[in-house]
Amino acid sequence: MDQPEQGHQPPPPSQPWTPPGGQPGFGPPPPPYAPPGTPPQPYGQPPQPPYGMTAPSPHSYPQPQAGAAPAQGPEFLAVDRRNSVVIDATGVAFEDHGVAVDFPWPEIRSVHYKASGNGKALMVAAIHLDGSFYECTVEAKPRERLHQWFAHLAQVLGYYRPMG
């Protein structure tokens, strides 16, 4: 017989969209494959436009000027002991256990947020143009702060991303 011994079952195959650690995220799953003929894009490069269209120059995006005042607009800030989420005129910034990442608005397709399963934390995901996503979770202490964050976050995202 070709059956394995009791207790020595092979682990089930992992799903392709499950991140390391086995905990699924709440952002969209990555695409199952790249369309034929689409070369991978290096990180930080804008996606190539369809055939017959011209790509915008990386310098066509507004660049901060040295010594210039920061761009004006509403800001959102959520901070706990280890993590933070900042959303302002420049884009979305996450800090997770000392590792900081910035996502400028031209690189972001959408931003999603929700309460954690236990209702004690804010979970924010930034979805890139290529479908990849990054998440950050910030604890809300006291728990009422989560409701304040939701109200303010909705206003700030509505300002910068009125269509989603």
Side-chain angles (χ1 to χ4, degrees):
M1 294 193 159
D2 291 335
Q3 294 180 344
E5 294 181 26
Q6 190 92 6
H8 290 56
Q9 300 292 329
S14 64
Q15 297 295 330
W17 59 84
T18 303
Q23 296 296 322
F26 66 91
Y33 64 90
T38 304
Q41 295 292 322
Y43 180 75
Q45 296 290 327
Q48 294 298 318
Y51 181 76
M53 297 181 71
T54 59
S57 164
H59 303 290
S60 65
Y61 298 126
Q63 300 292 323
Q65 300 296 322
Q72 297 298 315
E75 296 177 347
F76 173 80
L77 173 65
V79 179
D80 69 13
R81 292 181 301 157
R82 295 179 210 89
N83 305 331
S84 68
V85 173
V86 177
I87 300 174
D88 59 17
T90 61
V92 178
F94 293 156
E95 183 171 342
D96 190 350
H97 291 81
V99 177
V101 291
D102 296 320
F103 307 108
W105 287 118
E107 294 179 9
I108 297 174
R109 177 187 300 165
S110 61
V111 178
H112 302 272
Y113 61 94
K114 70 176 188 176
S116 63
N118 62 9
K120 294 181 180 179
L122 170 68
M123 300 170 70
V124 179
I127 292 61
H128 276 231
L129 296 174
D130 65 1
S132 61
F133 65 95
Y134 298 86
E135 301 171 345
C136 189
T137 302
V138 181
E139 278 188 46
K141 286 188 179 181
R143 199 180 272 200
E144 294 80 33
R145 184 170 292 151
L146 186 60
H147 299 291
Q148 296 168 355
W149 283 346
F150 276 151
H152 189 66
L153 185 53
Q155 291 174 345
V156 171
L157 286 175
Y159 180 85
Y160 294 113
R161 304 298 256 187
M163 300 307 288

